[in-house]
Amino acid sequence: MNFINNKLFWVLVPILMIVLIFLFYCICFFRSQTDTNDVIISGFVYDLKTKKTLGDVNVKVFNYRFEDDHGFQNYDEYLGFDTIYVKTSHDGTYKVSIPKSAFIRIYFIHDGFISLSDTSIFSEKKIFLDAYLIPQNVRVKEE
């Protein structure tokens, strides 16, 4: 009897395909749910009105990790949390180095300007993020 004509073959092939697809999904999921090591965030902060860089801007970074401070990992939730404060240099640049990260929130705060938050940054090795702060006395045109 030919194996391809056998009913068992037509039962086993779909089951095998489902198992392989499930294994591929699990591997992809767990590889994507890991912390990124040695993350560097850098960029410039500008005045939106004049397009000039702003010095002495407070940059507040909230860093979320899957791994807690004791080395325990859980891929369902963020167990580790860090808050990092830096200021931009006189030429408006900033740079933040983070040893381990999964998700980042960044706030830019400066006197006389509306605070800016960029809240959807998943960690990568290098993140370049320029920020444009709006002076408090300037109205933004709505499109």
Side-chain angles (χ1 to χ4, degrees):
M1 183 183 263
N2 192 354
F3 185 69
I4 294 179
N5 293 332
N6 191 344
K7 289 183 181 182
L8 182 63
F9 174 79
W10 293 107
V11 171
L12 289 178
V13 167
I15 291 173
L16 182 62
M17 293 297 290
I18 290 170
V19 168
L20 288 174
I21 290 170
F22 178 75
L23 287 173
F24 179 74
Y25 170 78
C26 288
I27 291 169
C28 290
F29 175 77
F30 285 109
R31 283 188 57 94
S32 68
Q33 297 293 344
T34 58
D35 291 326
T36 304
N37 293 322
D38 303 321
V39 175
I40 297 174
I41 307 165
S42 62
F44 290 87
V45 179
Y46 297 96
D47 180 332
L48 181 64
K49 185 178 179 183
T50 65
K51 306 293 189 239
K52 292 183 180 178
T53 58
L54 292 172
D56 220 25
V57 176
N58 294 309
V59 181
K60 188 176 184 181
V61 179
F62 295 111
N63 176 42
Y64 300 88
R65 296 175 273 120
F66 289 115
E67 184 176 315
D68 68 7
D69 295 333
H70 305 291
F72 181 74
Q73 290 183 342
N74 182 349
Y75 300 111
D76 294 331
E77 60 185 327
Y78 300 123
L79 299 178
F81 178 77
D82 305 305
T83 304
I84 303 160
Y85 299 94
V86 296
K87 283 189 177 245
T88 59
S89 62
H90 68 282
D91 63 351
T93 60
Y94 70 95
K95 184 175 181 178
V96 180
S97 296
I98 303 173
K100 195 172 273 203
S101 178
F103 184 76
I104 298 167
R105 292 178 123 179
I106 302 177
Y107 294 90
F108 299 93
I109 305 154
H110 193 55
D111 289 336
F113 291 85
I114 299 171
S115 297
L116 176 67
S117 165
D118 193 358
T119 58
S120 299
I121 302 173
F122 288 98
S123 295
E124 299 175 16
K125 282 281 195 193
K126 292 185 188 248
I127 299 170
F128 299 101
L129 179 66
D130 290 344
Y132 291 85
L133 298 183
I134 302 168
Q136 287 182 345
N137 58 355
V138 172
R139 290 189 175 187
V140 178
K141 294 180 184 177
E142 293 187 25
E143 296 178 28

